[in-house]
Amino acid sequence: MTSPASASESAPHSDARNLPRTAVIVGGNRIPFGKAGGKYASASNQDMLTAAIDGLVARFGLAGRSVGAVAAGAVLKHSRDFSLTRESVLGSALSPSTPAYDLQLACGTGLEAAVQIAGKIALGQIDNGIAGGVDSASDAPIAVSEGLRKALLKANHAKTTPAKLRALASIRPVDLAPQSPRNTEPRTGLSMGEHQAITTKKWDISREAQDELAAASHHNLAAAWDNGFFDDLVTPFLGLARDQGLRPDTSVEKLAKLSPVFGKGEGATMTAGNSTPLSDGASVVFLAEQEWAQANNYPALAKVVDSEMAAVDYVSGDEGLLMAPAYAVPRMLARQGLTLADFDYYEIHEAFAGTVLSTLAAWESEDFARDRLGLDAPVGSIDRSKLNVNGSSLAVGHPFAATGGRIVASLAKQLHAAGPGTRGLISVCAAGGQGVVAILEAV
Amino acid sequence: MADLYTTITKNPFGKAVTSQLGLPQPSRLRRGRLMPTGPVVLGAIKGASVAADALEVLGQAHEQALVDAPGSRTEDENGRAQPPAYPGKVGALIVDASSATEIADLEQVRALVRPALKALEPSARLIIVGADVAADQGVEHSAITQALEGITRSLGKEMRKGGTANLVRIQRGVTGAALASTLSFLLEGRSAYVSGQPIVVGASESVCEVVNRPLEGQIVVVTGAARGIGAGIAETLARDGASIVAVDIPAAGDALAKVTNNLGGTALQLDITGPEAGQRIAEHVASRFGQQAKIYGIVHNAGITRDKLLANTDEQRWGSVLDVNLAAQLRINDVLLTPGLPGGLTDGGRIVGVASTSGIAGNRGQTNYAASKAGVIGVVHSLSGELNDREITVNAVAPGFIETEMTGKIPAATREFARRFNSVQQGGLPVDVAEAIGYFLDPASQAVSGQVLRVCGQSQIGA
Ligand SMILES: NC(=O)c1ccc[n+]([C@@H]2O[C@H](COP(=O)([O-])OP(=O)(O)OC[C@H]3O[C@@H](n4cnc5c(N)ncnc54)[C@H](O)[C@@H]3O)[C@@H](O)[C@H]2O)c1
């Protein structure tokens, strides 16, 4: 867990505001996120990451050019993909002289990749770069979990489509926990959903609140697609032009009919509807130094102001598995001299509706502030109409490492539309009790 | 697009022809920026010199054309009088008839063309230059003007082995420099699939040199660029140096990205029927190329068909075709023509539409499509005059049967008929449409505006 003391340990970072150069988000691209076993069933991580890069290259006229670095990763990796990003670059329209490397931070991979590229830019090591992530639940290394392996094999052997789907429907994100041959967190034996169920219960998050959040995610995403928000953020792939898991006509009533799948007994509230579906997809973000972008006629949507990581002791049960962002955000706010209310948009990754709501509840809690953060007052509450306004993972899907890039590009576009100086907060939880958060500000 | 075939299959004569075997093997057409192999020969009537001037501007050598006069004929072994013969194959014959004013002058056209016809190499060119005579310049002079068109169209049909015949009508005051880009286009392989067509060249003071990469550094927007003819246009214009902004609907984004990345342009996923389409194009250009940047040319290629007999056409089928093929480009033009708009169309720029032979001839089951494509022709006629002051030229191509994925899906017999029922006995390629568009876009074509050029191999349909 993160003790109150560790909050002050972050003080040495306090010069983060005075970085030598400013990294801005130029734009992004992703492929529509597919359902596991859906349109991308036979696409590899490399296929998807390459497609995402190529769409970005076309949007920004980068064909045959190189960028300072490409950083990306995947959570579920085949051993053959030891150099996934570089291989994807070589297969893309970028110049072969573009350096690339892999990184991995569970569901925080995509955001951390963007933060790293922004850091390299800010330090003057590179002028521009691409950050991204990709994951395939369909093309996952079978060795990852027994549950998945069995389900996939069953689906594979099934003769009819319904039988295949039945087999695949039995898979849960938890079946794909990284580096784990079992469908559990290696140190607790609990699945991610089971972990979240404990947290959800602890924060007394109601089923209705979770279903409302899930319905809003679908409705917001549907509206964003309808009004063309994704026209310059997404490039179709393999016949899929919109996110496959999107259910525009879902409702709280419909979601209420689903049976809980995580947690036990009376108090179980987490269903397939308010938990992220297993997904396939890839996303990339193009970042550049602000003046370089201007000189080379690239748009500057928003700058990367700051980022923070945190980790909690979920093993002993001291804190919930997905609660690290609740610690990272207050530390980052303090460093920046900002409060939780100082944002125009909030992007809190919807691993589960319960994760988002537990995090918000923690920030509103005096006890949490005092006992966990060592603060006199609660972190604060947010205007819910500013939360995940163009939909989030519950509706879009969550190909683990691809989620960060999706959020960064979408939020940067939203902020740019809202005008210079507007601010956005990103919060992404990750397996292993970790979290990555960041602040973007429109330029 | 199913422009011609419906008509053809319904036509009993067409059925007979399509079922016939043993049609002549079509020649492989000379394409690209390639001049004829054999010499260019020139014959001028009544001392006309503009064609010779244009060839000089192009740095293209020429030889004197032979003339078929009774005194110059020789008898062959059967005692038949033969016109004078060229010593070798001729690449192109240019007849400068721009000074012809009387019916008697037409005899000289005959006399110049006859000897050459026997000597033409494959993919040879026959180009007649005539005057573009206003109705008030006399009845006989007008008759001559029209007669030259009849001659050209007939010769197009007499040509063999991929040869073409075209007419250039020059307005008063046209210099060799103003004529050069048109002559260059017609001589080169770029005009492979253009035959039997008249092109009017006007007088213009600001004419640049004809060069190999005329669009170097110019921003050109191509709509519907993800596939088919649009992809061909983008590739060809990029070859000519243009920075391509490739536009297509978001759902075609992956194909669009491939096309774009192959030619090093930028992709803009956009439905051109959206109310903000013009604005989005301008914003894209301003943001990718700088606030000072301007579009040099826009090619309105995106188009759809929703074929049905009018008896079965509802407002949806009717409206969508008119919106995509016609209304959208009017709205986009309006926005891009706003003076001072960052990323708008520059003065001295180019607008090119894509019409269709269906828009000229009409087609059963394509009333909506023909309306839209004929509308594109109307736009050219009106807007070209309106934008004269800003030196923006407005032209259109009208493709016939072009080999694309779409026409590839037409039933074999119908397709075979459609692709053969023209003077070069084959379907055109997207690049043929693209080359004609490139000719309009060429800065050296400043004197060419208000034209609708058929790229149809002189298809028998829609004549
Ligand atoms: N192929 C032929 O023989 C032929 C003949 C005459 C004219 N044409 C014309 O040539 C043009 C291209 O034809 P093609 O054969 O390549 O057709 P195509 O269908 O292969 O390509 C048309 C492209 O336009 C795009 N498009 C359609 N609606 C759009 C919209 N609202 N916004 C943006 N893009 C849109 C499509 O996605 C597609 O990529 C059309 O205008 C067509 O009418 C074609």
Side-chain angles (χ1 to χ4, degrees):
Chain A
M1 76 157 263
T2 307
S3 67
S6 70
S8 57
E9 272 165 24
S10 68
H13 299 282
S14 64
D15 58 352
R17 275 167 296 174
N18 303 317
L19 286 165
R21 313 202 305 169
T22 302
V24 295
I25 291 132
V26 173
N29 185 56
R30 66 179 177 93
I31 57 175
F33 290 174
K35 284 174 150 176
K39 290 269 192 184
Y40 307 157
S42 54
S44 68
N45 275 342
Q46 193 180 321
D47 295 337
M48 291 191 288
L49 185 56
T50 306
I53 293 172
D54 275 342
L56 185 84
V57 167
R59 188 160 297 142
F60 293 102
L62 297 171
R65 303 193 190 185
S66 63
V67 296
V70 181
V75 174
L76 301 174
K77 261 175 123 174
H78 289 270
S79 49
R80 64 166 188 256
D81 283 341
F82 61 92
S83 197
L84 172 65
T85 309
R86 172 64 181 152
E87 287 301 324
S88 302
V89 164
L90 283 173
S92 78
L94 285 171
S95 158
S97 64
T98 307
Y101 66 97
D102 282 28
L103 76 162
Q104 207 175 43
L105 177 63
C107 307
T109 302
L111 180 55
E112 183 57 21
V115 169
Q116 283 191 2
I117 292 293
K120 283 172 173 288
I121 290 169
L123 290 171
Q125 295 163 350
I126 55 176
D127 284 333
N128 55 27
I130 294 171
V134 56
D135 256 296
S136 169
S138 302
D139 188 38
I142 299 286
V144 149
S145 94
E146 268 306 284
L148 172 68
R149 191 177 73 90
K150 286 198 174 126
L152 284 179
L153 288 174
K154 198 170 162 197
N156 216 24
H157 296 148
K159 295 250 158 21
T160 65
T161 310
K164 279 183 202 293
L165 290 176
R166 257 196 315 280
L168 289 171
S170 68
I171 305 170
R172 292 286 160 249
V174 66
D175 290 335
L176 295 163
Q179 303 163 336
S180 169
R182 296 149 295 151
N183 61 353
T184 54
E185 281 292 324
R187 291 176 184 278
T188 61
L190 292 180
S191 74
M192 195 180 275
E194 285 162 345
H195 268 291
Q196 181 58 48
I198 297 167
T199 311
T200 304
K201 197 161 184 180
K202 176 180 168 198
W203 288 101
D204 201 16
I205 307 299
S206 72
R207 166 78 186 261
E208 293 68 40
Q210 293 175 59
D211 287 348
E212 272 166 26
L213 190 88
S217 187
H218 283 278
H219 297 157
N220 286 345
L221 181 67
W225 273 112
D226 288 344
N227 67 30
F229 179 73
F230 293 113
D231 280 4
D232 58 358
L233 289 171
V234 179
T235 304
F237 183 56
L238 299 182
L240 193 58
R242 281 193 180 200
D243 302 307
Q244 208 175 359
L246 170 62
R247 291 204 177 86
D249 50 1
T250 195
S251 64
V252 176
E253 295 71 38
K254 282 183 189 167
L255 289 166
K257 297 200 180 98
L258 300 172
S259 313
V261 290
F262 299 114
K264 290 190 191 83
E266 282 290 281
T269 55
M270 290 172 53
T271 68
N274 58 40
S275 306
T276 41
L278 217 49
S279 332
D280 303 337
S283 69
V284 287
V285 181
F286 184 26
L287 297 108
E289 195 273 322
Q290 189 167 9
E291 280 167 25
W292 183 93
Q294 196 178 7
N296 290 278
N297 291 318
Y298 289 106
L301 302 180
K303 58 184 173 191
V304 180
V305 175
D306 203 353
S307 171
E308 177 83 7
M309 282 174 66
V312 295
D313 176 14
Y314 70 99
V315 180
S316 71
D318 175 74
E319 184 51 275
L321 175 71
L322 303 178
M323 290 300 282
Y327 294 82
V329 165
R331 294 209 297 257
M332 181 171 65
L333 292 179
R335 176 162 72 226
Q336 290 293 328
L338 293 170
T339 72
L340 193 58
D342 294 333
F343 292 88
D344 300 273
Y345 293 111
Y346 303 87
E347 284 289 333
I348 305 180
H349 159 52
E350 297 167 343
F352 303 88
T355 316
V356 177
L357 295 168
S358 300
T359 303
L360 293 177
W363 288 338
E364 286 171 0
S365 156
E366 259 177 57
D367 292 348
F368 183 82
R370 185 186 57 243
D371 301 341
R372 298 288 175 154
L373 304 174
L375 300 175
D376 302 337
V379 176
S381 56
I382 70 164
D383 176 349
R384 287 282 294 273
S385 69
K386 297 175 177 176
L387 174 66
N388 300 346
V389 297
N390 289 305
S392 185
S393 305
L394 287 170
V396 188
H398 173 41
F400 313 113
T403 288
R406 169 185 71 75
I407 293 176
V408 169
S410 291
L411 177 62
K413 177 173 173 171
Q414 273 160 237
L415 292 170
H416 185 67
T422 52
R423 245 182 247 118
L425 178 68
I426 301 174
S427 164
V428 177
C429 59
Q434 306 211 80
V436 195
V437 302
I439 296 172
L440 306 185
E441 185 182 307
V443 291
Chain B
M1 308 217 143
D3 276 20
L4 318 170
Y5 343 99
T6 340
T7 317
I8 292 159
T9 34
K10 302 267 154 63
N11 171 333
F13 172 64
K15 267 187 198 149
V17 175
T18 45
S19 60
Q20 243 169 41
L21 296 172
L23 284 164
Q25 264 315 101
S27 296
R28 195 194 169 89
L29 303 181
R30 171 166 55 92
R31 289 193 158 90
R33 292 185 168 272
L34 270 185
M35 285 303 254
T37 316
V40 173
V41 300
L42 171 68
I45 294 169
K46 295 213 277 200
S49 66
V50 65
D53 293 347
L55 287 174
E56 179 143 2
V57 168
L58 292 172
Q60 172 63 48
H62 69 267
E63 294 173 10
Q64 205 55 43
L66 300 181
V67 181
D68 173 44
S72 64
R73 289 179 192 146
T74 49
E75 279 189 8
D76 64 10
E77 58 265 33
N78 301 322
R80 279 194 290 257
Q82 294 294 341
Y86 283 92
K89 288 288 179 196
V90 166
L93 168 69
I94 301 172
V95 176
D96 189 341
S98 56
S99 312
T101 50
E102 302 163 23
I103 293 167
D105 296 336
L106 296 178
E107 156 56 18
Q108 297 206 46
V109 178
R110 185 206 64 77
L112 285 164
V113 173
R114 188 178 178 205
L117 280 175
K118 300 219 156 146
L120 293 175
E121 67 182 26
S123 289
R125 297 290 188 262
L126 213 160
I127 301 166
I128 298 178
V129 180
D132 186 46
V133 171
D136 61 3
Q137 280 178 270
V139 178
E140 190 168 355
H141 204 170
S142 286
I144 294 294
T145 306
Q146 208 56 43
L148 289 175
E149 192 172 316
I151 291 169
T152 309
R153 289 188 189 277
S154 301
L155 287 173
K157 294 177 181 180
E158 190 172 334
M159 297 290 278
R160 286 291 166 264
K161 295 195 179 126
T164 65
N166 291 290
L167 172 67
V168 187
R169 289 203 174 115
I170 57 170
Q171 293 180 339
R172 220 180 311 201
V174 167
T175 59
L179 178 59
S181 79
T182 302
L183 220 49
S184 162
F185 168 67
L186 290 176
L187 284 170
E188 287 185 356
R190 290 183 284 147
S191 60
Y193 206 58
V194 177
S195 192
Q197 304 309 310
I199 301 175
V200 177
V201 176
S204 170
E205 280 134 42
S206 52
V207 170
C208 358
E209 223 184 304
V210 177
V211 295
N212 247 338
R213 281 168 62 88
L215 302 176
E216 195 70 67
Q218 304 282 22
I219 300 164
V220 178
V221 178
V222 180
T223 68
R227 64 177 205 185
I229 294 174
I233 295 169
E235 281 155 20
T236 302
L237 301 183
R239 177 206 67 191
D240 284 355
S243 254
I244 300 294
V245 174
V247 178
D248 212 299
I249 50 172
D254 37 357
L256 185 69
K258 280 205 185 73
V259 170
T260 309
N261 288 341
N262 279 338
L263 51 86
T266 62
L268 173 59
Q269 298 183 168
L270 173 75
D271 182 340
I272 56 161
T273 62
E276 308 270 280
Q279 200 57 44
R280 293 248 338 255
I281 292 171
E283 279 167 17
H284 177 95
V285 169
S287 105
R288 291 299 185 285
F289 301 93
Q291 289 295 308
Q292 304 309 314
K294 284 282 192 181
I295 295 168
Y296 168 73
I298 181 161
V299 183
H300 295 295
N301 163 77
I304 59 169
T305 49
R306 294 287 181 272
D307 297 356
K308 274 262 190 268
L309 294 179
L310 190 76
N312 302 322
T313 299
D314 61 14
E315 70 280 358
Q316 224 285 321
R317 273 178 188 276
W318 186 260
S320 59
V321 168
L322 279 161
D323 202 30
V324 176
N325 296 4
L326 184 58
Q329 59 184 271
L330 289 186
R331 289 192 294 263
I332 290 170
N333 286 344
D334 271 353
V335 173
L336 296 182
L337 286 168
T338 311
L341 175 76
L345 189 76
T346 184
D347 286 359
R350 303 282 184 263
I351 296 174
V352 184
V354 177
S356 163
T357 46
S358 286
I360 296 170
N363 198 9
R364 187 172 188 270
Q366 286 198 314
T367 312
N368 50 358
Y369 183 72
S372 71
K373 293 300 185 180
V376 168
I377 296 171
V379 171
V380 168
H381 291 156
S382 159
L383 202 55
S384 56
E386 207 176 288
L387 296 177
N388 215 3
D389 288 352
R390 294 171 67 176
E391 298 204 316
I392 295 171
T393 72
V394 186
N395 297 287
V397 291
F401 180 92
I402 304 299
E403 307 275 1
T404 61
E405 264 171 68
M406 189 155 289
T407 49
K409 286 181 190 137
I410 294 162
T414 320
R415 186 175 66 229
E416 192 56 19
F417 180 86
R419 62 158 67 111
R420 294 298 180 87
F421 204 38
N422 58 61
S423 296
V424 289
Q425 290 146 350
Q426 55 193 295
L429 301 180
V431 68
D432 297 327
V433 180
E435 295 281 20
I437 289 170
Y439 152 64
F440 286 138
L441 284 165
D442 192 332
S445 299
Q446 189 61 48
V448 182
S449 191
Q451 302 302 297
V452 177
L453 181 60
R454 289 178 49 168
V455 183
C456 64
Q458 196 176 23
S459 167
Q460 306 282 346
I461 286 134

